[in-house]
Amino acid sequence: MARRDLIDIDRIFHEAAVADYPRGREVFSRFPNAERIEVPSHWNIPALHGNEGSVEDWLHIKRSTLVLGVKKGLSMRPNGRSAHFIAPSTSNGCAMACAYCYVPRRKGFSNPISLFVNVDAVGAAITRHAAKQGSLPEPDQIDEAAWVYDLGENGDLSVDAMICDNVRDLVALFRGLPNAKGSFATKAVNRDLLAYDPQGRTRIRFSLMPARIARVVDVRTAPMPERIAAIDDFLAAGYEVHVNFSPVILYEGWEADWAALFDEIDGTISQAAKAQLKCEIIMLTHNAGLHDVNLGWHPKAEDLLWRPDIQEAKRSEGGGDNLRYRTGWKGKWLTRFKALLAERMPYCRVRYAF
Ligand code: SF4
């Protein structure tokens, strides 16, 4: 998707304080013709959030609207899976529209990108936190030697970087932290990031799944061959490059599709990329509320995502019914998935599978 099709900002909702920050002023001057609408909080914008019934509106909103705010809470949250800690986010919301995405569950379905302009404060909080940790006591499944901070829990940093320099600043920050690495997963390929000079201290995780399934559920994201082709370029530019096999969606024929994907990756990436490659495997978690919304705009995706015959409901932490593949079965499928991966890409170590 051309950059302009993904993002073409003509309206900016912003908190009043945004103009006090250099990053806020930079974004304003980058979109001089955008209408500016002051709001009390980036969290609650009735004109924007909600809107479940009208997909035409919310895809348009994702492309044309930006929200700017100041991040208030700057605490780190322990993680233990993708990263040791989840850093305070510098953004929330996304210009893409994956049918299984959990991000809109909190903000409603037309959640466009919200960027936080106090990235300096986020960086200072990470620096203080990392300084207190000392060295990683021993290698673990997350990293051999560094504390890893996830930077992109609530959005996609590759796309955020099309709008402002928050991601550039974070990559620069981790260059200077001796005991910590930044990390984020992405479904977009933004080649501007190749110039950020991460010096091995930022890990980018390209999310991959069989292309014919991605064409249904990964709405507005980069095509799979483009993501795979980017792996070597990002490695050469100084990133550590891992992959997320996520979400793994089960359907008749999934093994053949995943085998083909593994072969495609194996046939595309270099020996150098293979030598450092690790992956996460994340089986689909769906959600009953999201299912209802998706039926209204994208029922084909629900044919893949909504499988009550093989899923079971679990009350999620934030309330609402999450659906996971049935306990017992899920373990068996995961074992088959890992065996297939080991057969086709034996060099790819699994950091965690869930
Ligand atoms: S790219 Fe990530 S944050 Fe954006 S819609 Fe897809 S899953 Fe959600």
Side-chain angles (χ1 to χ4, degrees):
M1 173 176 281
R3 191 170 283 209
R4 201 175 167 78
D5 292 331
L6 196 56
I7 293 180
D8 190 14
I9 303 300
D10 62 19
R11 188 172 63 154
I12 301 176
F13 290 90
H14 65 94
E15 294 173 357
V18 159
D20 300 338
Y21 292 81
R23 181 57 34 86
R25 294 193 293 274
E26 266 167 47
V27 178
F28 282 147
S29 60
R30 187 146 176 190
F31 303 102
N33 299 322
E35 179 191 6
R36 291 185 205 167
I37 304 164
E38 195 177 305
V39 287
S41 161
H42 68 88
W43 265 114
N44 187 9
I45 307 176
L48 200 54
H49 300 143
N51 245 348
E52 280 110 351
S54 169
V55 68
E56 290 306 323
D57 281 359
W58 56 264
L59 288 185
H60 171 74
I61 288 170
K62 277 172 172 285
R63 176 165 175 247
S64 63
T65 302
L66 182 64
V67 179
L68 297 177
V70 178
K71 176 79 178 168
K72 308 288 182 314
L74 295 174
S75 54
M76 312 289 145
R77 285 190 290 116
N79 178 251
R81 285 184 181 161
S82 286
H84 296 100
F85 304 104
I86 309 283
S89 41
T90 53
S91 69
N92 189 306
C94 182
M96 298 179 278
C98 305
Y100 49 79
C101 179
Y102 63 84
V103 171
R105 287 178 210 164
R106 295 201 201 134
K107 256 195 170 174
F109 290 86
S110 59
N111 63 329
I113 298 176
S114 302
L115 292 175
F116 301 123
V117 294
N118 53 334
V119 65
D120 292 352
V122 172
I126 295 170
T127 304
R128 281 194 303 273
H129 188 270
K132 277 195 217 134
Q133 305 310 311
S135 307
L136 186 71
E138 54 186 356
D140 59 22
Q141 55 91 3
I142 299 170
D143 198 77
E144 294 294 309
W147 297 102
V148 176
Y149 291 75
D150 193 280
L151 307 173
E153 190 195 20
N154 295 314
D156 194 302
L157 267 57
S158 300
V159 182
D160 297 350
M162 296 175 190
I163 298 173
C164 78
D165 280 340
N166 278 1
V167 182
R168 186 191 288 273
D169 290 352
L170 290 167
V171 169
L173 175 87
F174 281 98
R175 219 161 42 216
L177 297 182
N179 63 339
K181 267 185 200 170
S183 174
F184 63 94
T186 186
K187 295 183 170 108
V189 176
N190 178 354
R191 291 182 170 270
D192 295 349
L193 271 65
L194 297 174
Y196 286 6
D197 189 22
Q199 297 178 11
R201 307 306 292 171
T202 296
R203 171 183 300 165
I204 188 164
R205 310 183 326 260
F206 286 105
S207 295
L208 303 176
M209 70 163 72
R212 78 182 180 96
I213 303 303
R215 277 194 289 275
V216 181
V217 299
D218 267 20
V219 182
R220 292 165 63 78
T221 62
M224 222 42 66
E226 188 183 342
R227 297 186 216 175
I228 297 169
I231 290 174
D232 269 286
D233 295 339
F234 276 75
L235 182 68
Y239 291 89
E240 184 179 37
V241 187
H242 289 183
V243 288
N244 278 8
F245 297 123
S246 103
V248 177
I249 299 169
L250 299 177
Y251 53 92
E252 199 65 46
W254 65 271
E255 281 169 295
D257 284 352
W258 280 95
L261 175 68
F262 296 152
D263 288 348
E264 184 182 348
I265 300 167
D266 183 61
T268 306
I269 67 175
S270 65
Q271 285 306 327
K274 289 175 186 176
Q276 56 88 66
L277 196 70
K278 293 184 185 173
C279 73
E280 297 172 13
I281 304 167
I282 305 162
M283 307 280 275
L284 173 74
T285 297
H286 198 27
N287 177 277
L290 193 55
H291 168 66
D292 290 340
V293 173
N294 286 351
L295 281 181
W297 75 281
H298 198 6
K300 269 178 95 175
E302 287 308 300
D303 291 345
L304 285 163
L305 302 176
W306 181 255
R307 290 289 307 275
D309 53 327
I310 56 171
Q311 287 165 325
E312 62 189 3
K314 284 223 167 90
R315 202 113 268 255
S316 70
E317 279 169 31
D321 283 323
N322 279 348
L323 283 113
R324 302 227 174 86
Y325 295 120
R326 292 192 178 163
T327 320
W329 282 109
K330 184 177 160 184
K332 286 194 185 108
W333 288 317
L334 203 47
T335 305
R336 269 159 59 182
F337 188 99
K338 286 197 267 191
L340 194 61
L341 176 68
E343 182 190 305
R344 306 289 172 133
M345 296 171 59
Y347 44 84
C348 182
R349 281 157 292 168
V350 179
R351 281 216 328 279
Y352 85 87
F354 172 67

